Amino acid sequence: MGLNTQNVNLKMTAGFASQFPTDPIVQVALSGRSNVGKSSLINTLLGRKSLARVSATPGKTITVNFYEVDKKLFLVDLPGYGFAARSKDSQGAWQSLTDGYFTKNKNIDLVRGVVQLIDSRAGITRDDAMMIEYMNSVEMPYIIAITKIDKLNKTDRAAIIEKITNDELIAENTPIIPFSSLKGEGKMELWRAIADLADIKL
């Protein structure tokens, strides 16, 4: 029986690592800078218009959201990083919570990998690079999703895909998937890559 991606609910919105669910379900996290289109990507993947809230104020919400898919997979929405308008207190809260997901997660052995979102118009930012370097250092598998790809013309689109594909920072054999929440492009490719990471049949 394959994964029913329509059978989904928001299991937990955690403001502290101690609140992370301990259900014996594999996890794939989603990481990216604020305003990279993470909520829209989640809604597109799960076939919902507003399951994940698209904030008008990037970086406002600092929680880790656990979306349970068919009781077989947690898609874990990590808080967006790199939002310059944050106070030092909120930046500290972000770091504590995000670090906590990888260091204080009681089910860290069930974390199969990360979908790292990269804005097609910005490319790999310094904050993106730091996250990728961290995943490389702990040998955490990841997928690169190049978001908002529909906003580029053919020439710019080809250029950014080639640039990211050839970036020496990206681990070898990492799936790189152009994605458009607006047009649904890359949805099935990303699901297949997530299923491969999580060792789940679609």
Side-chain angles (χ1 to χ4, degrees):
M1 193 73 177
L3 185 71
N4 180 3
T5 60
Q6 303 298 309
N7 181 18
V8 58
N9 70 288
L10 177 57
K11 176 80 173 185
M12 172 64 69
T13 295
F16 301 95
S18 59
Q19 297 175 321
F20 295 165
T22 56
D23 309 53
I25 298 173
V26 295
Q27 302 180 17
V28 173
L30 296 99
S31 166
R33 70 185 185 90
S34 298
N35 207 28
V36 72
K38 190 147 47 67
S39 295
S40 296
L41 180 143
I42 291 169
N43 287 331
T44 299
L45 280 181
L46 300 178
R48 304 290 181 88
K49 288 186 177 180
S50 57
L51 183 65
R53 293 179 183 176
V54 180
S55 176
T57 308
K60 183 177 180 182
T61 303
I62 305 177
T63 56
V64 176
N65 300 322
F66 290 78
Y67 296 94
E68 186 181 56
V69 185
D70 206 24
K71 301 188 184 301
K72 298 174 183 175
L73 168 70
F74 276 132
L75 285 183
V76 185
D77 181 12
L78 299 178
Y81 53 73
F83 186 52
R86 276 203 183 127
S87 68
K88 286 188 177 180
D89 285 348
S90 65
Q91 287 174 7
W94 174 86
Q95 185 170 5
S96 175
L97 193 56
T98 303
D99 288 354
Y101 177 74
F102 293 103
T103 61
K104 298 178 182 177
N105 187 348
K106 294 174 182 176
N107 278 2
I108 189 63
D109 59 318
L110 293 175
V111 178
R112 296 294 184 252
V114 175
V115 178
Q116 177 63 39
L117 280 66
I118 304 292
D119 192 319
S120 62
R121 298 166 300 176
I124 298 174
T125 67
R126 187 182 70 166
D127 290 317
D128 294 331
M130 288 175 64
M131 185 66 193
I132 293 168
E133 285 170 352
Y134 170 75
M135 292 188 292
N136 289 340
S137 72
V138 298
E139 299 184 343
M140 174 69 70
Y142 55 92
I143 301 161
I144 299 292
I146 308 175
T147 63
K148 306 181 184 182
I149 199 71
D150 55 279
K151 297 188 181 296
L152 300 184
N153 61 37
K154 283 188 177 181
T155 302
D156 291 341
R157 171 194 170 107
I160 191 64
I161 293 172
E162 182 178 7
K163 185 176 181 180
I164 292 175
T165 300
N166 294 326
D167 195 304
E168 293 182 356
L169 188 61
I170 307 298
E172 199 172 346
N173 299 320
T174 296
I176 296 173
I177 301 170
F179 192 91
S180 166
S181 296
L182 184 66
K183 297 185 177 180
E185 179 184 351
K187 176 179 177 178
M188 287 313 301
E189 290 87 344
L190 185 52
W191 261 126
R192 282 192 285 269
I194 290 170
D196 285 346
L197 265 189
D199 196 22
I200 291 175
K201 289 185 179 179
L202 283 179

